[in-house]
Amino acid sequence: MTGDTAAPVPAPAPAPAPAPAPAARTSRRLVVAGGLTSALALALILVGCSSGSSTSSKSPELKVSGAYMPRPVSDLAAGFLVVTNSGGAADKLTSVTSALSDNITIHKTEDQKMMEVTSFDIPAGGTLDLARGGNHIMFAELKQQPKQGQEIGIELHFEKADPIKVELPVKETTYNPAQN
C-alpha cells in the first residue's frame, strides 16, 4: 500500500419507485371518478333547488296584518288591514266574504269621495294598505251589530293566491291606529 489511493465509489442511485400495482391505479381512478360524480350530483341538486326557488318567487306570497273594524253605529261597517306581498308576482284583492253581511264591497277614496272598485292591486314586494280615510272594506246590511271586543271573521279572495281567513277585532268607534 505504497501511496495507492482508492478512487471514491459513487453511491448507488436510488431505485425508482415501483410502479403502482394495477389495483392501486384502478382505485385511484375510482376515487377521482367518484369525486367528479359527487360534484356533478351536488351541482344538479343546487341547480334544482335554485330553479325551484325562482319558480316560487314568481308567485304572490301574501300575509295580512293590522286588521280591525271600528264598532259600527248603524247597519254599515268598515274593515281595515294591510296585505303584504313578499312574492315575486303581483296579485289583486277581488272580494271579501263574511257571515256578518251578504253585501260586502271594496272601496277606494279619492278627493274625499268613496267609490266601489272591483279589485285592489297588490304589487310584488309591496303592500295594499286599507286604512281609515282611504281604501277600505265596506259591510252593508249587517246581520248583527258587532260589539267592541268581538272578532268578526272574514275571508279575502284574490286573483291568484288562495283565500286568506282573517279575524277583525272590533275596536271603539273612533279607533285609528295612526293616532294610537
Side-chain angles (χ1 to χ4, degrees), residues 10-61:
R25 261 188 255 132
T26 303
S27 118
R28 238 185 273 149
R29 284 186 194 139
L30 287 176
V31 167
V32 170
L36 291 175
T37 303
S38 296
L40 180 59
L42 180 60
L44 289 174
I45 289 169
L46 291 175
V47 167
C49 288
S50 67
S51 68
S53 298
S54 65
T55 301
S56 68
S57 70
K58 291 186 181 180
S59 61
E61 294 178 26

Short mmCIF file of all heavy atoms in Angstrom, two decimals, residues 10-61:
data_model
loop_
_atom_site.label_atom_id
_atom_site.label_comp_id
_atom_site.label_asym_id
_atom_site.label_seq_id
_atom_site.Cartn_x
_atom_site.Cartn_y
_atom_site.Cartn_z
N PRO A 10 -18.93 5.87 -6.35
CA PRO A 10 -20.20 6.61 -6.22
C PRO A 10 -21.26 5.73 -5.57
O PRO A 10 -21.28 4.53 -5.75
CB PRO A 10 -20.58 6.96 -7.66
CG PRO A 10 -19.81 6.02 -8.52
CD PRO A 10 -18.61 5.58 -7.73
N ALA A 11 -22.13 6.43 -4.78
CA ALA A 11 -23.22 5.71 -4.12
C ALA A 11 -24.22 5.28 -5.17
O ALA A 11 -24.43 5.98 -6.17
CB ALA A 11 -23.91 6.62 -3.10
N PRO A 12 -24.80 4.16 -4.96
CA PRO A 12 -25.74 3.70 -5.97
C PRO A 12 -26.95 4.65 -6.02
O PRO A 12 -27.38 5.19 -5.01
CB PRO A 12 -26.16 2.31 -5.49
CG PRO A 12 -25.79 2.24 -4.05
CD PRO A 12 -24.71 3.25 -3.84
N ALA A 13 -27.42 4.90 -7.21
CA ALA A 13 -28.61 5.77 -7.38
C ALA A 13 -29.80 5.08 -6.76
O ALA A 13 -29.92 3.86 -6.84
CB ALA A 13 -28.84 6.03 -8.86
N PRO A 14 -30.68 5.89 -6.15
CA PRO A 14 -31.86 5.24 -5.56
C PRO A 14 -32.68 4.59 -6.65
O PRO A 14 -32.81 5.12 -7.75
CB PRO A 14 -32.62 6.37 -4.88
CG PRO A 14 -32.07 7.64 -5.43
CD PRO A 14 -30.71 7.33 -5.99
N ALA A 15 -33.22 3.51 -6.31
CA ALA A 15 -34.03 2.77 -7.27
C ALA A 15 -35.33 3.53 -7.50
O ALA A 15 -35.89 4.11 -6.58
CB ALA A 15 -34.31 1.38 -6.73
N PRO A 16 -35.80 3.61 -8.72
CA PRO A 16 -37.07 4.29 -8.97
C PRO A 16 -38.19 3.57 -8.21
O PRO A 16 -38.13 2.38 -7.97
CB PRO A 16 -37.28 4.19 -10.48
CG PRO A 16 -36.37 3.09 -10.93
CD PRO A 16 -35.27 2.99 -9.91
N ALA A 17 -39.16 4.38 -7.80
CA ALA A 17 -40.28 3.79 -7.07
C ALA A 17 -40.97 2.78 -7.96
O ALA A 17 -41.14 3.02 -9.16
CB ALA A 17 -41.27 4.87 -6.64
N PRO A 18 -41.35 1.71 -7.38
CA PRO A 18 -42.01 0.71 -8.22
C PRO A 18 -43.34 1.25 -8.72
O PRO A 18 -44.00 2.02 -8.05
CB PRO A 18 -42.21 -0.47 -7.28
CG PRO A 18 -42.13 0.09 -5.90
CD PRO A 18 -41.27 1.32 -6.00
N ALA A 19 -43.68 0.90 -9.91
CA ALA A 19 -44.96 1.33 -10.49
C ALA A 19 -46.07 0.74 -9.64
O ALA A 19 -45.97 -0.38 -9.17
CB ALA A 19 -45.07 0.85 -11.92
N PRO A 20 -47.12 1.57 -9.40
CA PRO A 20 -48.21 1.02 -8.58
C PRO A 20 -48.81 -0.20 -9.24
O PRO A 20 -48.85 -0.31 -10.46
CB PRO A 20 -49.23 2.15 -8.52
CG PRO A 20 -48.69 3.29 -9.30
CD PRO A 20 -47.38 2.89 -9.87
N ALA A 21 -49.22 -1.04 -8.40
CA ALA A 21 -49.85 -2.27 -8.88
C ALA A 21 -51.13 -1.88 -9.62
O ALA A 21 -51.73 -0.85 -9.35
CB ALA A 21 -50.18 -3.17 -7.70
N PRO A 22 -51.62 -2.68 -10.55
CA PRO A 22 -52.83 -2.34 -11.29
C PRO A 22 -54.01 -2.05 -10.37
O PRO A 22 -54.81 -1.18 -10.62
CB PRO A 22 -53.08 -3.57 -12.15
CG PRO A 22 -51.75 -4.25 -12.26
CD PRO A 22 -50.99 -3.90 -11.03
N ALA A 23 -54.13 -2.71 -9.26
CA ALA A 23 -55.26 -2.49 -8.37
C ALA A 23 -55.18 -1.09 -7.78
O ALA A 23 -56.18 -0.40 -7.62
CB ALA A 23 -55.27 -3.54 -7.26
N ALA A 24 -53.98 -0.60 -7.44
CA ALA A 24 -53.83 0.74 -6.87
C ALA A 24 -54.21 1.79 -7.90
O ALA A 24 -54.85 2.78 -7.59
CB ALA A 24 -52.39 0.94 -6.38
N ARG A 25 -53.76 1.60 -9.16
CA ARG A 25 -54.13 2.55 -10.21
C ARG A 25 -55.65 2.59 -10.39
O ARG A 25 -56.24 3.65 -10.50
CB ARG A 25 -53.46 2.14 -11.53
CG ARG A 25 -52.22 2.92 -11.79
CD ARG A 25 -51.67 2.66 -13.17
NE ARG A 25 -50.49 1.79 -12.99
CZ ARG A 25 -50.23 0.71 -13.66
NH1 ARG A 25 -51.02 0.31 -14.62
NH2 ARG A 25 -49.17 0.00 -13.41
N THR A 26 -56.29 1.47 -10.40
CA THR A 26 -57.73 1.40 -10.56
C THR A 26 -58.43 2.10 -9.41
O THR A 26 -59.36 2.86 -9.59
CB THR A 26 -58.20 -0.07 -10.64
OG1 THR A 26 -57.50 -0.69 -11.71
CG2 THR A 26 -59.69 -0.16 -10.84
N SER A 27 -57.94 1.91 -8.19
CA SER A 27 -58.59 2.52 -7.05
C SER A 27 -58.44 4.03 -7.11
O SER A 27 -59.34 4.76 -6.76
CB SER A 27 -58.03 1.89 -5.77
OG SER A 27 -57.39 2.78 -4.97
N ARG A 28 -57.27 4.55 -7.56
CA ARG A 28 -57.10 6.00 -7.70
C ARG A 28 -58.06 6.54 -8.74
O ARG A 28 -58.66 7.59 -8.56
CB ARG A 28 -55.66 6.29 -8.12
CG ARG A 28 -54.98 7.21 -7.13
CD ARG A 28 -53.62 7.62 -7.55
NE ARG A 28 -52.67 6.61 -7.09
CZ ARG A 28 -51.56 6.28 -7.69
NH1 ARG A 28 -51.21 6.88 -8.79
NH2 ARG A 28 -50.78 5.38 -7.21
N ARG A 29 -58.24 5.85 -9.84
CA ARG A 29 -59.18 6.28 -10.87
C ARG A 29 -60.60 6.31 -10.32
O ARG A 29 -61.38 7.20 -10.61
CB ARG A 29 -59.11 5.35 -12.09
CG ARG A 29 -57.91 5.59 -12.94
CD ARG A 29 -57.97 4.76 -14.19
NE ARG A 29 -56.68 4.74 -14.84
CZ ARG A 29 -56.11 3.70 -15.39
NH1 ARG A 29 -56.75 2.54 -15.39
NH2 ARG A 29 -54.94 3.78 -15.95
N LEU A 30 -60.95 5.32 -9.51
CA LEU A 30 -62.29 5.28 -8.93
C LEU A 30 -62.51 6.46 -7.99
O LEU A 30 -63.58 7.06 -7.96
CB LEU A 30 -62.53 3.96 -8.19
CG LEU A 30 -62.71 2.73 -9.07
CD1 LEU A 30 -62.83 1.48 -8.20
CD2 LEU A 30 -63.93 2.88 -9.95
N VAL A 31 -61.50 6.82 -7.21
CA VAL A 31 -61.63 7.95 -6.29
C VAL A 31 -61.86 9.24 -7.09
O VAL A 31 -62.74 10.03 -6.78
CB VAL A 31 -60.39 8.07 -5.37
CG1 VAL A 31 -60.36 9.40 -4.64
CG2 VAL A 31 -60.35 6.92 -4.39
N VAL A 32 -61.06 9.44 -8.13
CA VAL A 32 -61.22 10.64 -8.96
C VAL A 32 -62.59 10.63 -9.64
O VAL A 32 -63.32 11.61 -9.60
CB VAL A 32 -60.08 10.74 -10.01
CG1 VAL A 32 -60.37 11.82 -11.02
CG2 VAL A 32 -58.75 10.97 -9.31
N ALA A 33 -62.98 9.50 -10.21
CA ALA A 33 -64.28 9.41 -10.88
C ALA A 33 -65.40 9.60 -9.87
O ALA A 33 -66.38 10.28 -10.14
CB ALA A 33 -64.41 8.07 -11.59
N GLY A 34 -65.26 9.01 -8.69
CA GLY A 34 -66.28 9.16 -7.66
C GLY A 34 -66.41 10.61 -7.21
O GLY A 34 -67.50 11.12 -7.00
N GLY A 35 -65.28 11.32 -7.10
CA GLY A 35 -65.30 12.73 -6.73
C GLY A 35 -66.00 13.57 -7.78
O GLY A 35 -66.79 14.45 -7.47
N LEU A 36 -65.72 13.28 -9.05
CA LEU A 36 -66.39 14.01 -10.13
C LEU A 36 -67.88 13.72 -10.15
O LEU A 36 -68.69 14.63 -10.34
CB LEU A 36 -65.76 13.65 -11.48
CG LEU A 36 -64.34 14.16 -11.71
CD1 LEU A 36 -63.79 13.62 -13.02
CD2 LEU A 36 -64.29 15.66 -11.68
N THR A 37 -68.26 12.47 -9.92
CA THR A 37 -69.68 12.11 -9.88
C THR A 37 -70.38 12.83 -8.75
O THR A 37 -71.47 13.38 -8.91
CB THR A 37 -69.84 10.58 -9.74
OG1 THR A 37 -69.16 9.95 -10.83
CG2 THR A 37 -71.30 10.18 -9.74
N SER A 38 -69.75 12.87 -7.58
CA SER A 38 -70.34 13.57 -6.42
C SER A 38 -70.48 15.06 -6.71
O SER A 38 -71.50 15.66 -6.39
CB SER A 38 -69.47 13.38 -5.18
OG SER A 38 -69.44 12.02 -4.82
N ALA A 39 -69.46 15.66 -7.31
CA ALA A 39 -69.53 17.09 -7.63
C ALA A 39 -70.65 17.36 -8.63
O ALA A 39 -71.39 18.33 -8.49
CB ALA A 39 -68.19 17.56 -8.18
N LEU A 40 -70.79 16.49 -9.61
CA LEU A 40 -71.85 16.65 -10.61
C LEU A 40 -73.22 16.52 -9.96
O LEU A 40 -74.13 17.31 -10.21
CB LEU A 40 -71.68 15.63 -11.73
CG LEU A 40 -72.71 15.69 -12.85
CD1 LEU A 40 -72.70 17.05 -13.52
CD2 LEU A 40 -72.46 14.60 -13.87
N ALA A 41 -73.38 15.53 -9.08
CA ALA A 41 -74.66 15.34 -8.40
C ALA A 41 -74.99 16.56 -7.54
O ALA A 41 -76.12 17.04 -7.53
CB ALA A 41 -74.61 14.07 -7.54
N LEU A 42 -74.00 17.09 -6.83
CA LEU A 42 -74.22 18.27 -5.99
C LEU A 42 -74.62 19.46 -6.85
O LEU A 42 -75.54 20.20 -6.52
CB LEU A 42 -72.96 18.58 -5.18
CG LEU A 42 -73.04 19.79 -4.26
CD1 LEU A 42 -74.15 19.60 -3.24
CD2 LEU A 42 -71.71 20.01 -3.57
N ALA A 43 -73.96 19.63 -7.97
CA ALA A 43 -74.30 20.74 -8.87
C ALA A 43 -75.73 20.61 -9.38
O ALA A 43 -76.46 21.61 -9.42
CB ALA A 43 -73.32 20.78 -10.05
N LEU A 44 -76.14 19.41 -9.73
CA LEU A 44 -77.52 19.21 -10.19
C LEU A 44 -78.53 19.50 -9.09
O LEU A 44 -79.57 20.10 -9.33
CB LEU A 44 -77.70 17.79 -10.73
CG LEU A 44 -77.01 17.49 -12.05
CD1 LEU A 44 -77.13 16.01 -12.40
CD2 LEU A 44 -77.57 18.35 -13.16
N ILE A 45 -78.21 19.11 -7.87
CA ILE A 45 -79.11 19.38 -6.75
C ILE A 45 -79.23 20.88 -6.54
O ILE A 45 -80.32 21.42 -6.37
CB ILE A 45 -78.61 18.68 -5.47
CG1 ILE A 45 -78.82 17.18 -5.59
CG2 ILE A 45 -79.31 19.23 -4.22
CD1 ILE A 45 -78.15 16.37 -4.50
N LEU A 46 -78.10 21.58 -6.57
CA LEU A 46 -78.13 23.03 -6.36
C LEU A 46 -78.90 23.74 -7.47
O LEU A 46 -79.67 24.66 -7.21
CB LEU A 46 -76.71 23.59 -6.26
CG LEU A 46 -75.94 23.17 -5.00
CD1 LEU A 46 -74.51 23.67 -5.07
CD2 LEU A 46 -76.63 23.67 -3.76
N VAL A 47 -78.71 23.30 -8.69
CA VAL A 47 -79.46 23.90 -9.80
C VAL A 47 -80.95 23.63 -9.61
O VAL A 47 -81.78 24.50 -9.78
CB VAL A 47 -78.97 23.35 -11.16
CG1 VAL A 47 -79.91 23.71 -12.28
CG2 VAL A 47 -77.58 23.88 -11.45
N GLY A 48 -81.30 22.42 -9.22
CA GLY A 48 -82.70 22.09 -8.97
C GLY A 48 -83.28 22.95 -7.87
O GLY A 48 -84.39 23.45 -7.97
N CYS A 49 -82.53 23.16 -6.80
CA CYS A 49 -83.03 23.98 -5.69
C CYS A 49 -83.20 25.42 -6.12
O CYS A 49 -84.18 26.07 -5.81
CB CYS A 49 -82.07 23.93 -4.50
SG CYS A 49 -82.12 22.35 -3.64
N SER A 50 -82.24 25.93 -6.85
CA SER A 50 -82.35 27.35 -7.21
C SER A 50 -83.45 27.56 -8.24
O SER A 50 -84.13 28.57 -8.19
CB SER A 50 -81.01 27.87 -7.74
OG SER A 50 -80.70 27.25 -8.97
N SER A 51 -83.68 26.62 -9.12
CA SER A 51 -84.78 26.83 -10.07
C SER A 51 -86.12 26.70 -9.37
O SER A 51 -87.05 27.39 -9.69
CB SER A 51 -84.68 25.85 -11.25
OG SER A 51 -84.93 24.54 -10.81
N GLY A 52 -86.21 25.85 -8.34
CA GLY A 52 -87.44 25.75 -7.58
C GLY A 52 -87.70 27.04 -6.83
O GLY A 52 -88.82 27.51 -6.73
N SER A 53 -86.66 27.67 -6.30
CA SER A 53 -86.82 28.92 -5.56
C SER A 53 -87.30 30.02 -6.47
O SER A 53 -88.15 30.80 -6.12
CB SER A 53 -85.49 29.34 -4.94
OG SER A 53 -85.07 28.36 -4.01
N SER A 54 -86.73 30.10 -7.68
CA SER A 54 -87.14 31.20 -8.55
C SER A 54 -88.58 30.99 -9.03
O SER A 54 -89.29 31.94 -9.25
CB SER A 54 -86.17 31.33 -9.73
OG SER A 54 -86.24 30.18 -10.54
N THR A 55 -89.01 29.74 -9.18
CA THR A 55 -90.39 29.50 -9.58
C THR A 55 -91.35 29.97 -8.50
O THR A 55 -92.31 30.65 -8.77
CB THR A 55 -90.62 28.00 -9.86
OG1 THR A 55 -89.73 27.60 -10.88
CG2 THR A 55 -92.03 27.72 -10.28
N SER A 56 -91.05 29.63 -7.23
CA SER A 56 -91.95 30.03 -6.16
C SER A 56 -91.92 31.53 -5.97
O SER A 56 -92.89 32.12 -5.54
CB SER A 56 -91.62 29.29 -4.87
OG SER A 56 -90.37 29.72 -4.38
N SER A 57 -90.79 32.19 -6.25
CA SER A 57 -90.74 33.64 -6.07
C SER A 57 -91.51 34.36 -7.18
O SER A 57 -91.73 35.54 -7.09
CB SER A 57 -89.29 34.12 -6.03
OG SER A 57 -88.70 34.01 -7.30
N LYS A 58 -91.93 33.62 -8.19
CA LYS A 58 -92.72 34.24 -9.27
C LYS A 58 -94.21 34.14 -8.98
O LYS A 58 -95.03 34.38 -9.85
CB LYS A 58 -92.39 33.59 -10.61
CG LYS A 58 -90.98 33.93 -11.06
CD LYS A 58 -90.69 33.41 -12.45
CE LYS A 58 -89.28 33.76 -12.83
NZ LYS A 58 -88.91 33.30 -14.13
N SER A 59 -94.57 33.82 -7.74
CA SER A 59 -95.97 33.79 -7.35
C SER A 59 -96.14 34.73 -6.16
O SER A 59 -95.19 35.01 -5.44
CB SER A 59 -96.41 32.37 -7.00
OG SER A 59 -95.66 31.88 -5.92
N PRO A 60 -97.37 35.21 -5.94
CA PRO A 60 -97.57 36.09 -4.78
C PRO A 60 -97.45 35.31 -3.47
O PRO A 60 -97.82 34.14 -3.42
CB PRO A 60 -98.99 36.63 -4.98
CG PRO A 60 -99.61 35.83 -6.05
CD PRO A 60 -98.56 35.05 -6.75
N GLU A 61 -96.90 35.94 -2.46
CA GLU A 61 -96.82 35.37 -1.11
C GLU A 61 -97.41 36.42 -0.18
O GLU A 61 -96.76 37.40 0.15
CB GLU A 61 -95.38 35.04 -0.76
CG GLU A 61 -94.81 33.92 -1.63
CD GLU A 61 -93.36 33.61 -1.33
OE1 GLU A 61 -92.91 33.85 -0.19
OE2 GLU A 61 -92.68 33.13 -2.24
#
